[in-house]
Amino acid sequence: MEQTAPINKYNLSEEEERKEILRHYRGLLKALKPKLKPNDKELIRTAFEMAADAHKTMRRKSGEPYILHPIAVALICVEEIGLGVRSTICALLHDTVEDTDITLEDVQREFGSEIAKIVDGLTKISTVLDANSPSTQQAENFKKILLTLTDDPRVILIKLADRLHNMRTLDSMKREKQLKISSETVYVYAPLAHRMGLYSIKTELEDLSMKYLEPEAYRSIAQKLSDTKRERTRYINDFIRPIKEKLEKSDIDSEIYGRPKSIHSIWSKIKKKGVSFEEVYDLFAIRIIVNSPHEKEKEDCWKVYSMITDEYNPSPERLRDWLSNPKSNGYEALHTTVMGPQGKWVEVQIRTKRMNEIAEKGLAAHWKYKEETTEESRFDKWFNQIREALSNEDTSSMDFLQDFKTSFLTEEIYVYTPKGDVKMLPVGATALDFAFSVHSAVGSRCIGAKVNHKLVPISYKLRSGDQIEIITSAKQKPSEDWLNNVVTAKARTKIKDALREEKKKIADDGKYTLQRKIEGMGAVYSPGNIDEVVAFYKLNSHLDLFYKIAIKEIDLKELKEFHVLGERLESPKPIKIVEEKAEEEFDETHKTYNKKDTELIIFGESSDRIQYALANCCKPIPGDDVFGFVTTGEGLKIHRTNCPNAARLMANYGHRIVKTKWAKNKEISFLTGLKIIGLDDVGVIHKITNLISGEMKFNISAMTIEAKEGVFEGNVKIFVHDKDELDELCNRLLALTGIERVERYDTE
């Protein structure tokens, strides 16, 4: 869908604005026309008028009338997700119950309980990652969304359309709001879109998030894609020509076209593989859509695959067969990567029209084709797994959110049981995950596995196509380190349950030991006296105390120093809980900490300069795009916006993020590291040190050089004042003959 430029309210009269709203509304009706039944138009008109009236005094940050947002969300639902009339009504009303005087009862009275239920689900979701909720509340709300999802998945589909439109119009928001919304998007919503089978929406959400989280990298790749567009188009046409001729000669009806990889996927590959833009081998992707009847789909796709591999050599390890084993979100296709002309790798995707519709429209298209098959769909299985994970009362909300990401939002592999049944597991799953997926009792007693008939440990990471047989022992029981060997929510939950039970059994021995000691001293074994002992040893609970006594971590010698006052025990000296001062002094108004020579401005209600610490995970230096994060106990930590932990912090703890900005200060130097890779030529080290120390006058803190087979890798730790200086140094190093790559790394 084309993005509509924000309307400036100052340029439009009231009458012009009214016409603009009607133009958008008519565009929505036109898109819906093939799906309209008698009376549908009246219902949509009622919903539109209800929303327009409810939002009539509201404006978006860009200045445009608010009603244009629900219309745009409804249009995304229809055109890009393939939803129908009822979803359109829900999309038009999605913000009314939360933001206006309209109640859920009003919606139910006008449109019935089905639509009211979806609008209620959307209203609950709106608080999901609310920047002002405590993180646990955000995670708790996320669980609520998923309950709604398994009840009626349209809630999530409409929410994704809402998020997509917000991302498309994020330019008018403040920078810190852009960072928070983009982080939530890349952390939860893009993986959710992927899981719902909405690949193009997932890709666009990732690209738009990157535009705000990594603006320089985004602009650089976008520019390079633009510069190479003509050359790429020519290449794709040359690649397609012989394939097209073969397809025309055969009796297979098909379309073939090329497309560039998304900016985000190119950037991920650059980071993951440590290569430059020019070295990303599959910038080119070709898609072949075959128009086949249902019963001939697989046969025709493999015929096309055969034609391609006759023309170009395939990379055997890059074949992905999702025809035989579709993904659990319904995705079916054949993917292969072949060596094209000029020694360039090209990814080719082969799918039928039906498969393509499912790939583009995900769950909505899946419903359309559902009546063609009687077997339980993979979507249904997925929903059942989520219901099972949600039903576990003991899992904390934060753990659930993390487990949900690793268990349900990642790519999948398919593996086989000894009898040949297929099981889908997330990428990274181990033999132990597989054991728990068979049955919790099998998981708990697992001592190893045979993968493809070879003995492997329980931590063995499975790959697609593996056949697994689990080996069990009646004497085996879960241990704490098992949690490091699993990724699925089911396995983690069952292991934690077993550990808790085991801990309670062991703790019983400690309980009796403590009871004998206390009664032997002449005091009473009572909750109050146990609390006194728990506080003395600085533990969290009675269970922890009993457990540590049982495993001999505490031997209770110190009980001799306790005073017995009647029946009561009193610890020898009062225990002082020392609170961290930084937490006490840091309040909502961000007052000054009187730290001299500080060089970072924190924006609160006042622009005072306050005390902070630089995060060890990303080691920011002045000039980096940064944000402040209020920690418990350590005051304010400064992170780079592209820190590995940034998305998680901003998505889960939005209320703790503080806007920050560097002020120039040339007095203070910061230690940072550079990795330099190049040809091991005579004098190259001298050229590097001469540039850093001699010409640019930087202090070198440490330097290590390793040369191997004609290539050297150097790590240099240097003191710089800010990012501008560092960027200039990197550019000048790259200009030296023989230097291939210069990368910043975080010093320990």
Side-chain angles (χ1 to χ4, degrees):
M1 187 183 85
E2 287 297 311
Q3 187 179 330
T4 313
I7 302 160
N8 190 323
K9 65 175 176 179
Y10 301 110
N11 294 343
L12 295 180
S13 68
E14 203 173 312
E15 182 55 28
E16 286 170 328
E17 212 168 67
R18 197 180 66 80
K19 283 181 181 166
E20 188 64 25
I21 293 167
L22 280 174
R23 188 174 68 78
H24 282 258
Y25 172 65
R26 287 192 191 111
L28 172 64
L29 283 179
K30 191 178 172 189
L32 262 176
K33 201 172 182 181
K35 299 185 177 186
L36 291 176
K37 294 191 184 80
N39 302 327
D40 282 351
K41 215 168 176 180
E42 287 74 15
L43 278 174
I44 292 165
R45 179 86 193 178
T46 306
F48 164 64
E49 284 172 353
M50 194 185 231
D53 185 54
H55 293 300
K56 65 175 180 283
T57 57
M58 296 166 72
R59 300 254 163 204
R60 299 195 85 209
K61 284 278 189 287
S62 58
E64 67 184 24
Y66 193 88
I67 184 62
L68 290 179
H69 167 65
I71 296 172
V73 171
L75 194 60
I76 292 170
C77 287
V78 175
E79 288 192 332
E80 298 179 56
I81 302 178
L83 293 171
V85 172
R86 286 190 294 282
S87 298
T88 302
I89 293 167
C90 297
L92 288 170
L93 299 171
H94 79 271
D95 277 334
T96 51
V97 173
E98 189 197 357
D99 295 340
T100 74
D101 294 336
I102 287 177
T103 64
L104 209 53
E105 288 70 33
D106 297 334
V107 176
Q108 181 154 353
R109 194 166 47 248
E110 202 67 55
F111 302 103
S113 57
E114 184 189 13
I115 284 169
K117 197 173 180 185
I118 295 172
V119 172
D120 184 35
L122 287 160
T123 308
K124 283 183 181 135
I125 291 183
S126 62
T127 57
V128 137
L129 291 165
D130 175 9
N132 302 314
S133 315
S135 55
T136 48
Q137 186 59 41
Q138 291 168 17
E140 191 53 51
N141 285 329
F142 191 77
K143 280 178 90 168
K144 283 180 193 162
I145 293 189
L146 292 163
L147 281 166
T148 317
L149 155 71
T150 55
D151 206 26
D152 193 328
R154 282 173 294 186
V155 173
I156 290 287
L157 298 175
I158 297 165
K159 184 61 197 173
L160 285 167
D162 177 37
R163 178 51 58 123
L164 180 58
H165 187 249
N166 283 334
M167 289 302 295
R168 284 173 176 172
T169 55
L170 204 54
D171 273 344
S172 44
M173 290 285 195
K174 287 180 183 168
R175 173 79 181 132
E176 62 268 30
K177 198 83 172 157
Q178 290 173 341
L179 287 174
K180 280 178 195 170
I181 292 171
S182 300
S183 294
E184 294 165 10
T185 300
V186 85
Y187 190 69
V188 173
Y189 288 104
L192 204 45
H194 181 92
R195 206 58 185 71
M196 304 301 278
L198 298 164
Y199 287 91
S200 52
I201 287 179
K202 170 245 185 188
T203 301
E204 191 178 346
L205 287 173
E206 284 177 339
D207 275 4
L208 288 169
S209 298
M210 186 186 165
K211 180 179 164 187
Y212 298 102
L213 294 171
E214 294 280 355
E216 284 177 29
Y218 180 87
R219 277 194 297 270
S220 163
I221 294 171
Q223 187 60 52
K224 283 173 180 166
L225 281 173
S226 170
D227 294 345
T228 57
K229 188 175 180 186
R230 185 177 293 175
E231 178 194 322
R232 278 184 294 115
T233 306
R234 195 181 304 122
Y235 182 86
I236 283 172
N237 288 339
D238 289 346
F239 180 92
I240 285 174
R241 200 173 295 114
I243 306 287
K244 214 169 190 174
E245 285 169 11
K246 287 189 174 191
L247 284 166
E248 281 166 4
K249 281 179 191 166
S250 77
D251 58 350
I252 296 172
D253 175 17
S254 60
E255 302 162 49
I256 178 167
Y257 55 93
R259 62 183 181 85
K261 287 272 190 175
S262 75
I263 294 176
H264 186 272
S265 69
I266 292 169
W267 176 68
S268 297
K269 206 148 272 187
I270 288 170
K271 280 198 309 179
K272 206 167 164 184
K273 300 263 198 293
V275 294
S276 66
F277 174 85
E278 291 68 27
E279 295 167 297
V280 174
Y281 66 79
D282 53 357
L283 282 171
F284 309 98
I286 306 293
R287 187 171 292 159
I288 300 171
I289 312 290
V290 183
N291 192 7
S292 293
H294 194 58
E295 64 281 359
K296 284 191 73 185
E297 285 187 326
K298 286 186 186 178
E299 182 190 331
D300 286 351
C301 286
W302 283 110
K303 271 186 191 167
V304 172
Y305 173 79
S306 171
M307 289 176 199
I308 291 157
T309 52
D310 281 350
E311 188 68 35
Y312 301 113
N313 279 334
S315 164
E317 67 273 13
R318 300 280 298 161
L319 173 65
R320 299 285 180 269
D321 172 13
W322 285 305
L323 291 182
S324 312
N325 278 292
K327 294 186 182 183
S328 59
N329 59 16
Y331 183 81
E332 292 173 79
L334 264 182
H335 288 201
T336 183
T337 302
V338 297
M339 179 61 79
Q342 302 160 36
K344 290 179 177 173
W345 289 105
V346 179
E347 184 184 57
V348 183
Q349 300 174 354
I350 306 160
R351 45 173 99 142
T352 63
K353 268 195 162 169
R354 177 191 67 82
M355 294 171 192
N356 192 55
E357 195 176 348
I358 286 175
E360 296 297 319
K361 303 274 168 72
L363 186 56
H366 157 82
W367 276 331
K368 177 178 164 183
Y369 294 104
K370 195 172 179 180
E371 51 270 18
E372 293 180 16
T373 174
T374 52
E375 68 172 274
E376 183 189 27
S377 83
R378 289 169 186 257
F379 263 122
D380 296 332
K381 285 179 185 168
W382 186 58
F383 292 154
N384 286 333
Q385 286 174 341
I386 295 174
R387 283 190 196 104
E388 191 182 335
L390 286 164
S391 65
N392 180 36
E393 297 293 326
D394 295 329
T395 310
S396 81
S397 297
M398 289 304 290
D399 284 349
F400 175 80
L401 184 56
Q402 198 48 49
D403 287 349
F404 184 80
K405 274 186 69 64
T406 53
S407 284
F408 299 120
L409 295 186
T410 52
E411 274 291 351
E412 293 158 316
I413 56 170
Y414 57 89
V415 291
Y416 295 98
T417 67
K419 289 182 178 173
D421 296 330
V422 176
K423 279 202 172 287
M424 307 294 284
L425 289 168
V427 165
T430 61
L432 192 53
D433 280 305
F434 176 85
F436 276 103
S437 77
V438 173
H439 195 281
S440 50
V442 174
S444 297
R445 294 200 294 269
C446 175
I447 55 169
K450 281 186 178 177
V451 171
N452 307 326
H453 309 293
K454 286 183 184 166
L455 198 60
V456 297
I458 59 174
S459 58
Y460 179 85
K461 281 201 173 144
L462 302 173
R463 286 180 299 205
S464 265
D466 281 346
Q467 187 172 27
I468 305 109
E469 180 189 342
I470 297 299
I471 303 163
T472 60
S473 161
K475 292 175 184 173
Q476 177 69 301
K477 54 188 176 188
S479 63
E480 194 84 35
D481 60 344
W482 278 24
L483 291 169
N484 301 323
N485 294 330
V486 292
V487 296
T488 57
K490 181 176 180 180
R492 292 184 71 79
T493 303
K494 297 296 178 192
I495 293 167
K496 283 178 184 171
D497 287 349
L499 290 174
R500 203 176 294 114
E501 282 309 308
E502 188 62 23
K503 192 173 180 179
K504 279 180 188 166
K505 276 186 208 165
I506 294 168
D508 279 346
D509 291 341
K511 186 176 178 180
Y512 295 128
T513 305
L514 181 65
Q515 185 172 352
R516 284 198 306 274
K517 286 267 187 191
I518 290 177
E519 288 172 351
M521 292 167 70
V524 170
Y525 181 73
S526 66
N529 283 341
I530 300 168
D531 287 343
E532 193 74 12
V533 182
V534 167
F536 176 80
Y537 285 109
K538 298 185 176 65
L539 297 172
N540 296 322
S541 66
H542 290 198
L543 181 63
D544 284 350
L545 175 66
F546 300 151
Y547 181 71
K548 284 182 184 291
I549 294 168
I551 62 169
K552 306 282 191 289
E553 209 171 290
I554 291 175
D555 65 4
L556 298 176
K557 271 191 304 197
E558 294 88 349
L559 279 190
K560 291 174 189 164
E561 298 165 33
F562 275 62
H563 309 296
V564 180
L565 305 173
E567 294 182 339
R568 198 163 59 80
L569 271 185
E570 190 180 82
S571 53
K573 51 187 179 295
I575 297 149
K576 288 183 183 172
I577 306 293
V578 181
E579 295 289 346
E580 295 279 0
K581 283 193 176 170
E583 180 72 3
E584 264 175 29
E585 292 175 18
F586 192 91
D587 67 9
E588 291 303 313
T589 54
H590 312 316
K591 300 295 181 196
T592 308
Y593 275 102
N594 301 322
K595 182 182 175 186
K596 288 179 185 171
D597 294 332
T598 182
E599 56 297 318
L600 191 83
I601 298 172
I602 316 293
F603 291 84
E605 289 176 16
S606 61
S607 294
D608 295 334
R609 295 176 173 199
I610 68 164
Q611 189 177 348
Y612 62 88
L614 301 177
N616 283 326
C617 48
C618 57
K619 289 280 177 22
I621 63 171
D624 283 336
D625 203 355
V626 290
F627 65 92
F629 180 70
V630 185
T631 63
T632 15
E634 294 179 71
L636 198 67
K637 280 275 173 82
I638 306 303
H639 292 261
R640 299 203 322 241
T641 52
N642 61 356
C643 162
N645 297 317
R648 181 179 60 81
L649 293 176
M650 287 193 263
N652 280 333
Y653 304 93
H655 61 296
R656 293 201 200 168
I657 303 296
V658 180
K659 184 181 170 188
T660 57
K661 177 182 148 189
W662 292 103
K664 291 283 182 192
N665 186 336
K666 290 287 181 188
E667 310 293 307
I668 298 172
S669 292
F670 289 79
L671 185 66
T672 192
L674 285 181
K675 181 182 281 184
I676 306 166
I677 295 167
L679 297 172
D680 186 18
D681 204 358
V682 180
V684 71
I685 308 303
H686 174 68
K687 281 192 284 188
I688 292 169
T689 51
N690 186 49
L691 173 65
I692 297 173
S693 302
E695 293 178 37
M696 297 195 70
K697 304 282 187 291
F698 288 125
N699 284 331
I700 296 178
S701 157
M703 188 170 183
T704 58
I705 304 283
E706 279 184 34
K708 194 177 179 184
E709 297 167 359
V711 174
F712 81 87
E713 185 175 301
N715 289 321
V716 190
K717 291 183 182 178
I718 48 172
F719 288 99
V720 297
H721 292 107
D722 55 37
K723 188 168 178 283
D724 292 344
E725 276 188 354
L726 187 65
D727 288 346
E728 188 190 347
L729 172 60
C730 291
N731 291 333
R732 287 184 64 176
L733 282 167
L734 277 169
L736 295 175
T737 315
I739 303 296
E740 283 292 308
R741 209 157 75 232
V742 180
E743 292 170 2
R744 174 175 169 185
Y745 73 89
D746 301 322
T747 55
E748 289 301 318

